[in-house]
Amino acid sequence: MKSSLSSIANGTKVIVQSITESQLRVKLMEMGLTKGKVIEVLYRAPLGDPMAIDINGYVLSLRKDEASLIQVDLFEQKTTEKV
Amino acid sequence: MKIALLGNPNTGKSSIFNLLTGMRQHVGNFPGVTVDKKTGTLNIDKEQHELVDFPGTYSLYPRSKDEEVVYNVLSDKNNDNYPDLALVVVDASNLERNLLLFSQVYDLQLPTVMVLNMTDLALKRNKKYNLETLQKTFPDATIVESNARVKSGKGRINDAISNVKKRTGHSFCSEQSLCDIDDITCQENTVSKRFSKIESIDFTQKESEVNAKTTLTSKFDKILVHKVWGYLIFAVVLMVIFQFIYEFAGIPMDIIDSSFSDLSSWLATQLPAGIFTDLLTQGIVPGIGGVVIFIPQIALLFFFIAVLEETGYLSRVVFIMDRIMRPLGLNGKSVVPLISSVACAIPGVMAARTISDRKERMITVMVTPLMSCSARIPVYTLLIALVIPEGTVGGFMNLQGLVLFGLYALGTISALLVAWVLKKIIKTNEKGFLLLEMPSYKMPRWGNIGITVWEKIRVFIWDAGKVILAISIILWAMATYGPKNNMEQAGITAEAKAIQLGLNEEDTDQLVASAKLENSYIGIMGKTIEPAIKPLGYDWKIGVSLITSFAAREVFVGSMATIYAVQDDGEENIPLIDKMRAEKRNDGTPVFTLASGLSLMVFYVFAMQCMATLAVVKRETKSWKWPIIQLGYMGVLAYLAAWITFIIAS
């Protein structure tokens, strides 16, 4: 089931499905947010925004607005063999 | 040979730059952007090379106007800065993302050196990269491993530069040429193609689950971005920094102050009297002193800012403050400039450079001088002592202290309000975004910090110092000269009066100085603007001090002392505050009442009475437009607020 990254709870692993077309899409991709990438939501700032995610072992912080452009799927252990 | 230094942010790029060039660096301009062009000299085997440090970027395609310089230079072989060799710093602990920019640069067909940095961190994170695979993927690249933190690799990087491989025409993504700067679809395609190719190659030797969560960094993060502890720790950090600045900046500042005035007096006794000596001893030497006096505060603030940045803590501050600052048109990164300005707006404005979004940076620069800096303290304390009665409110709060607090609060609130207004006014096509990497915590590298502090001081002295010196000489000339006969006449009259009153030498000098100031160009200006400042409750003497204190706010106190040297009764050494208190208007009412005093304090909260800050704003925005707008809007605010205060209070 697709949902937006901005709605994902801390500590959850997700797979990037797509990024909404926008000026920012290419910038998000350049940060490593490409289709199929497994990321984890780490924590959020006190007001719930911005949020910090783990991409390949580095931590990226992004605003809620930016995260809402990213559609993700829950990551399940068994589908991970190749990732 | 011209060498371009490229790389992602947080890869230790500037450490590599410092490692290779040491202190042989200088700062210049890239045309059209506000980022500095840092150039260093690199000597390898008696051959001199020029190393240019480009802004850290994640790709060749710019995120912001200032990052365009990377694209503009590298996409145009005829550009003056087009390099003969590209030195790309790559973070070995985060290969995948770093290889995007590297592969883009590699495909430009320039001789390319990959500096594989942070090799120690990669090993620690269990991310052993496979050098052979890397070399096989980029056969034309010369690869060196480095670890700038412990200064290893300089010799190897130099060797790699002198023995760089010739290009054979090999590309990483052959079908991908450089996209147009505005063609986002093309850029998206190449980015995803490059990444899928990078991902398809296994660069690591050992497959292992790596997650930022398990590292020490994440344990620190739990506390440092916590909704209570996070802010509390930030507040404590700030308190420590300000304690240091107030405790220690004053000592060198006093020494600088007295050395320059000693130098002036000494020169005055050594040189023949005349216009040239006056210019030197009263204009130039104090002018230089007025530049140098800022160094201790700039140095200390940038020392602390650099430590916070080097350790990685600064990104956490940005993280917890971003949401709070955003509605005001500011950014989490605006917090440090604003807070620094409580000590001094100069380092505050200079620290705004880290804000990549141009609109947010401009707003930060524009409102930063509204924060009450330490130069306002002497003005505030004099005026508070003058018009605010001692006593307590509600039984325990000191009234004078309360007013002082109110002035600081007024400055801070207006800074935030003006930011909000500017957010509505300034139009931009760039949409602000954060996308900030949170680097792992590290011990600061003291060498880097030293170079940062030195560079800030140098930029301030050479770039802003010229403007400050020029204005202070103009101000001095205006206070020293006037329509010829008037001033001489006033001096003679004053001397005659002094003899009549039987004053001693010192008081006579003061009386003469005061009479001359009254008839100087500044005195005349003060009188000319009197009708304009009358609604605020000021007379021409205050007007004169307002003009002279444009040099720096604290000059107000000295200026008032000169102008109130007038003594009618021949009594000696009356403190300035009593002289001001005794000052009467023509109708016999006192000049300094609660209303006029408060109005003057409010004026100083808002007015841009600091040429040094203006000079720095000009330096940082690379145009006179912004400092002039700033001078204008702060002047209007100051006038209106002081006027309203005067009406309400009287």
Side-chain angles (χ1 to χ4, degrees):
Chain A
M1 208 200 65
K2 263 197 192 182
S3 43
S4 140
L5 177 62
S6 60
S7 64
I8 302 295
N10 292 352
T12 316
K13 278 190 181 179
V14 292
I15 306 178
V16 176
Q17 291 298 335
S18 60
I19 302 176
T20 310
E21 201 183 320
S22 63
Q23 288 279 324
L24 269 183
R25 180 156 77 180
V26 65
K27 300 295 140 207
L28 290 164
M29 287 164 68
E30 284 170 0
M31 298 307 289
L33 289 161
T34 46
K35 189 171 181 330
K37 176 77 71 190
V38 179
I39 56 175
E40 177 174 348
V41 178
L42 293 176
Y43 46 81
R44 285 173 159 85
L47 291 164
D49 182 18
M51 64 200 287
I53 58 173
D54 177 291
I55 309 172
N56 283 10
Y58 95 89
V59 183
L60 176 74
S61 67
L62 69 174
R63 291 176 180 167
K64 212 172 179 174
D65 287 352
E66 291 143 27
S68 66
L69 298 172
I70 303 165
Q71 284 82 45
V72 293
D73 241 348
L74 283 184
F75 173 78
E76 282 160 45
Q77 240 19 74
K78 54 189 173 211
T79 60
T80 65
E81 282 134 12
K82 257 206 82 190
V83 184
Chain B
M1 192 159 58
K2 239 181 227 164
I3 304 172
L5 182 63
L6 303 158
N8 284 188
N10 301 309
T11 48
K13 189 166 70 70
S14 54
S15 295
I16 299 272
F17 185 73
N18 292 337
L19 177 75
L20 294 178
T21 62
M23 297 297 272
R24 298 182 304 275
Q25 308 181 358
H26 68 264
V27 180
N29 293 324
F30 285 117
V33 293
T34 58
V35 284
D36 285 325
K37 176 183 161 190
K38 262 172 62 178
T39 313
T41 326
L42 184 61
N43 294 309
I44 308 171
D45 303 331
K46 288 180 192 146
E47 230 185 301
Q48 212 177 50
H49 304 288
E50 189 191 72
L51 186 66
V52 180
D53 188 17
F54 281 82
T57 58
Y58 294 100
S59 121
L60 282 185
Y61 305 109
R63 271 178 169 211
S64 67
K65 195 94 184 90
D66 283 339
E67 285 186 14
E68 270 178 25
V69 63
V70 176
Y71 180 89
N72 290 343
V73 169
L74 292 178
S75 63
D76 173 16
K77 288 203 166 82
N78 299 317
N79 192 295
D80 285 343
N81 291 304
Y82 193 79
D84 305 304
L85 185 150
L87 191 66
V88 189
V89 183
V90 167
D91 177 356
S93 67
N94 194 356
L95 258 187
E96 211 178 276
R97 198 200 64 212
N98 278 260
L99 285 179
L100 173 69
L101 175 70
F102 180 82
S103 76
Q104 289 174 332
V105 176
Y106 181 82
D107 286 355
L108 294 173
Q109 301 299 335
L110 277 165
T112 306
V113 175
M114 176 196 285
V115 180
L116 202 53
N117 201 19
M118 308 210 184
T119 47
D120 52 335
L121 201 69
L123 291 177
K124 225 193 271 172
R125 286 211 198 146
N126 217 1
K127 278 194 159 183
K128 179 72 187 127
Y129 47 90
N130 191 330
L131 210 54
E132 264 173 56
T133 319
L134 264 177
Q135 188 67 78
K136 228 186 285 167
T137 316
F138 302 103
D140 285 359
T142 314
I143 303 179
V144 260
E145 293 171 276
S146 156
N147 179 3
R149 299 192 64 82
V150 291
K151 291 212 166 182
S152 76
K154 181 177 179 177
R156 271 177 287 161
I157 297 172
N158 286 350
D159 286 347
I161 291 170
S162 33
N163 303 314
V164 71
K165 289 183 192 166
K166 292 225 161 56
R167 296 306 299 253
T168 61
H170 175 268
S171 314
F172 178 72
C173 264
S174 46
E175 71 275 30
Q176 297 298 329
S177 56
L178 208 53
C179 298
D180 194 83
I181 195 161
D182 295 319
D183 190 350
I184 289 188
T185 322
C186 167
Q187 291 172 20
E188 282 175 0
N189 285 336
T190 77
V191 169
S192 68
K193 269 190 197 146
R194 280 177 192 280
F195 265 133
S196 57
K197 190 152 181 196
I198 291 166
E199 278 166 41
S200 70
I201 305 166
D202 185 13
F203 291 105
T204 52
Q205 253 175 4
K206 198 173 72 189
E207 189 64 52
S208 61
E209 177 79 3
V210 194
N211 191 313
K213 217 178 158 183
T214 52
T215 60
L216 193 64
T217 289
S218 74
K219 284 180 193 132
F220 274 122
D221 273 347
K222 281 225 166 63
I223 306 164
L224 294 178
V225 304
H226 187 267
K227 61 180 176 237
V228 179
W229 304 123
Y231 294 109
L232 215 60
I233 290 168
F234 182 44
V236 170
V237 167
L238 287 178
M239 275 196 4
V240 171
I241 291 176
F242 279 102
Q243 283 297 319
F244 259 89
I245 290 171
Y246 282 110
E247 198 70 32
F248 295 114
I251 302 164
M253 284 169 86
D254 289 343
I255 295 171
I256 291 166
D257 201 24
S258 58
S259 329
F260 273 90
S261 74
D262 289 351
L263 180 64
S264 277
S265 346
W266 180 78
L267 281 172
T269 60
Q270 297 299 311
L271 296 167
I275 221 172
F276 173 74
T277 306
D278 284 353
L279 174 68
L280 192 67
T281 59
Q282 295 166 24
I284 295 174
V285 171
I288 296 172
V291 176
V292 176
I293 194 99
F294 286 108
I295 291 177
Q297 284 195 349
I298 295 176
L300 273 171
L301 262 170
F302 273 107
F303 170 78
F304 286 112
I305 293 174
V307 169
L308 297 187
E309 195 163 2
E310 281 268 320
T311 53
Y313 179 60
L314 207 57
S315 338
R316 274 72 187 182
V317 172
V318 173
F319 187 72
I320 60 173
M321 298 304 289
D322 185 70
R323 182 67 189 85
I324 301 167
M325 305 304 283
R326 218 184 305 156
L328 303 164
L330 297 168
N331 173 307
K333 290 180 183 167
S334 312
V335 171
V336 168
L338 287 176
I339 290 171
S340 302
S341 302
V342 177
C344 178
I346 293 164
V349 169
M350 291 167 89
R353 197 182 292 175
T354 53
I355 304 171
S356 56
D357 181 76
R358 186 172 275 215
K359 178 177 174 179
E360 290 171 337
R361 184 170 69 237
M362 284 308 169
I363 295 179
T364 308
V365 167
M366 293 303 272
V367 303
T368 277
L370 285 170
M371 304 294 285
S372 278
C373 65
S374 57
R376 286 167 170 105
I377 295 175
V379 181
Y380 289 166
T381 33
L382 174 70
L383 292 172
I384 286 176
L386 188 62
V387 300
I388 307 293
E390 283 174 43
T392 52
V393 185
F396 63 96
M397 273 192 291
N398 180 300
L399 184 60
Q400 293 186 333
L402 205 62
V403 172
L404 186 64
F405 173 79
L407 295 171
Y408 271 87
L410 182 63
T412 310
I413 292 167
S414 353
L416 300 178
L417 279 179
V418 171
W420 181 78
V421 172
L422 288 176
K423 176 193 163 192
K424 304 274 171 204
I425 296 173
I426 300 179
K427 293 273 175 280
T428 176
N429 295 325
E430 290 176 44
K431 189 187 180 312
F433 57 89
L434 190 67
L435 291 189
L436 177 76
E437 187 179 346
M438 310 258 266
S440 48
Y441 294 103
K442 301 182 187 84
M443 279 302 288
R445 285 152 292 187
W446 303 107
N448 277 352
I449 292 172
I451 289 176
T452 304
V453 170
W454 167 238
E455 191 192 299
K456 297 289 176 188
I457 292 173
R458 197 176 48 178
V459 160
F460 172 72
I461 293 179
W462 292 120
D463 295 1
K466 285 181 282 193
V467 179
I468 300 170
L469 187 59
I471 300 178
S472 58
I473 289 173
I474 293 171
L475 282 174
W476 164 78
M478 280 170 39
T480 313
Y481 300 102
K484 238 197 163 96
N485 296 326
N486 288 6
M487 252 179 107
E488 271 166 32
Q489 199 55 50
I492 294 165
T493 320
E495 245 180 301
K497 194 177 172 192
I499 293 164
Q500 198 189 346
L501 288 166
L503 297 180
N504 62 25
E505 201 178 327
E506 195 182 324
D507 289 344
T508 308
D509 285 349
Q510 279 191 0
L511 194 61
V512 172
S514 169
K516 281 192 166 167
L517 181 59
E518 182 177 348
N519 288 284
S520 68
Y521 288 114
I522 279 193
I524 292 165
M525 278 171 76
K527 284 182 179 160
T528 315
I529 63 167
E530 192 174 26
I533 57 177
K534 211 170 179 180
L536 314 183
Y538 313 157
D539 63 2
W540 68 268
K541 291 178 183 177
I542 298 175
V544 169
S545 300
L546 289 184
I547 297 169
T548 53
S549 70
F550 177 68
R553 294 173 178 97
E554 68 272 21
V555 171
F556 177 80
V557 179
S559 209
M560 292 302 260
T562 305
I563 224 165
Y564 283 117
V566 190
Q567 295 178 346
D568 308 292
D569 46 10
E571 266 180 60
E572 282 172 35
N573 293 331
I574 307 170
L576 173 63
I577 191 160
D578 291 332
K579 289 180 193 164
M580 287 171 76
R581 201 169 274 149
E583 185 70 8
K584 298 275 193 297
R585 287 173 202 281
N586 291 337
D587 60 5
T589 56
V591 170
F592 290 98
T593 57
L594 179 67
S596 66
L598 276 177
S599 151
L600 199 51
M601 285 179 231
V602 168
F603 188 88
Y604 271 92
V605 167
F606 290 102
M608 184 67 211
Q609 295 281 85
C610 181
M611 59 178 180
T613 305
L614 285 174
V616 167
V617 171
K618 192 257 162 185
R619 163 67 179 68
E620 290 296 312
T621 60
K622 306 266 159 91
S623 95
W624 277 108
K625 178 181 146 197
W626 293 103
I628 288 170
I629 293 176
Q630 194 166 38
L631 181 65
Y633 99 78
M634 287 175 73
V636 171
L637 266 187
Y639 189 89
L640 290 178
W643 183 52
I644 293 167
T645 308
F646 185 69
I647 291 174
I648 293 172
S650 41

